Amino acid sequence: MSLHLSEGMIARSFWQELHSSLVDEVAAAEARSILDQSRQIEARFPSRTGSISLHSIKTIWLLAHYFQPSVIAEVGTYIGRSTLAMARGAKPSLNALFTCDMSFDCWSAPEEDAEKIRYFGKTASTEM
């Protein structure tokens, strides 16, 4: 007898487990904090916001926490929601996060995250 697990079955199981992890409440609180921090920048660009939702911030935080990368390269910082989600989720293992945005230079890392985040505003990914 053999066991057949489809990619869909594995994916559903992974996402369900990720969102029911022991750090889910921590991720939710971090996501709310990140959303609140980005509101001031978002208000300056109300018609151009293409940023991510609270749920997406939390999911990215959980993914970074799960995989614990030591280095992250992100393309498209915009107002920094995903940047902070990755930096804070991967905090125990993160050595450096490099991020750029070709169109905007409106973000800077909060003081508590600035040591590990290197932001390249108005810079293409190939230049970063």
Side-chain angles (χ1 to χ4, degrees):
M1 183 172 131
S2 60
L3 176 65
H4 296 281
L5 298 172
S6 70
E7 289 176 16
M9 291 169 69
I10 294 169
R12 280 189 298 279
S13 177
F14 174 79
W15 291 112
Q16 182 178 4
E17 287 301 311
L18 187 73
H19 280 283
S20 63
S21 73
L22 295 175
V23 295
D24 190 69
E25 288 184 27
V26 174
E30 286 275 14
R32 286 189 298 275
S33 172
I34 290 166
L35 190 66
D36 289 343
Q37 287 179 330
S38 66
R39 293 276 191 218
Q40 291 179 343
I41 300 170
E42 183 181 38
R44 293 183 4 225
F45 301 97
S47 64
R48 300 184 79 173
T49 55
S51 197
I52 62 173
S53 68
L54 180 64
H55 178 74
S56 294
I57 296 168
K58 179 182 157 190
T59 300
I60 291 169
W61 190 100
L62 286 166
L63 284 168
H65 186 78
Y66 179 83
F67 286 107
Q68 290 294 298
S70 60
V71 177
I72 298 171
E74 177 192 37
V75 176
T77 312
Y78 189 45
I79 61 174
R81 288 179 181 167
S82 58
T83 307
L84 291 178
M86 288 185 284
R88 293 178 183 173
K91 192 171 257 179
S93 65
L94 188 66
N95 292 321
L97 189 155
F98 302 92
T99 185
C100 67
D101 197 300
M102 190 168 171
S103 303
F104 294 96
D105 189 10
C106 62
W107 186 78
S108 61
E111 192 174 313
E112 73 245 35
D113 303 291
E115 181 182 316
K116 295 193 177 187
I117 298 175
R118 178 83 193 278
Y119 172 59
F120 298 84
K122 288 264 186 179
T123 303
S125 59
T126 53
E127 295 173 57
M128 178 177 71

